[in-house]
Amino acid sequence: QVQLVESGGGLVQPGGSLRLSCVVSGISLEEFSIGWFRQAPGKEREGVSCISFRDGSTYYGDFVKGRFTISGDNAKNTIILQMNSLKPEDTAVYYCGAVQQPDDGSSWLPYFPDPYNYWGQGTQVTVSS
């Protein structure tokens, strides 16, 4: 059974930091890349950051570059999203998702949600004073 479990969300003041974790079970991180997405009320789910364990490649949405960092521990099947300099517009439910990688050994980091095969339940991030 495939499971992705997010944690680490909460309420933080503008300028603060949060560290989100996504623990993955039931799939190999060599065969699946992991992406973080977020969805605010009334808005579509948008890509935040993705990582491939095949070659270490990463992707960041323009709105988080320089503020967020994605990393992973393959041995612990855990992907971390370190979020610094948080802004009120970062308020959303944050989800991690897993997308199957190509059979040719290359890495694929889609920043849109449609191709993702599995999702976690989400964790709420609220940035407010």
Side-chain angles (χ1 to χ4, degrees):
Q1 183 181 1
V2 179
Q3 282 191 315
L4 288 81
V5 181
E6 303 96 335
S7 62
L11 173 64
V12 64
Q13 293 186 341
S17 299
L18 282 174
R19 180 181 168 94
L20 304 184
S21 296
C22 174
V23 178
V24 179
S25 60
I27 55 174
S28 167
L29 293 181
E30 292 294 329
E31 300 302 324
F32 286 80
S33 287
I34 303 299
W36 281 99
F37 288 75
R38 68 186 187 185
Q39 189 165 18
K43 294 188 176 180
E44 294 186 349
R45 192 169 296 192
E46 63 178 352
V48 176
S49 185
C50 313
I51 186 168
S52 167
F53 286 88
R54 284 187 170 180
D55 58 8
S57 56
T58 58
Y59 159 83
Y60 293 95
D62 288 342
F63 49 87
V64 301
K65 284 181 180 177
R67 299 190 297 128
F68 293 8
T69 303
I70 192 170
S71 62
D73 186 335
N74 201 350
K76 295 182 179 179
N77 277 12
T78 300
I79 295 85
I80 301 295
L81 184 67
Q82 178 66 44
M83 306 189 297
N84 299 328
S85 302
L86 284 162
K87 306 174 182 180
E89 51 264 42
D90 293 319
T91 295
V93 178
Y94 283 69
Y95 299 89
C96 62
V99 58
Q100 192 159 10
Q101 295 302 279
D103 292 337
D104 62 1
S106 62
S107 292
W108 184 35
L109 297 175
Y111 54 89
F112 42 94
D114 290 351
Y116 281 74
N117 306 98
Y118 304 102
W119 293 96
Q121 82 289 348
T123 185
Q124 176 70 47
V125 171
T126 303
V127 185
S128 175
S129 55

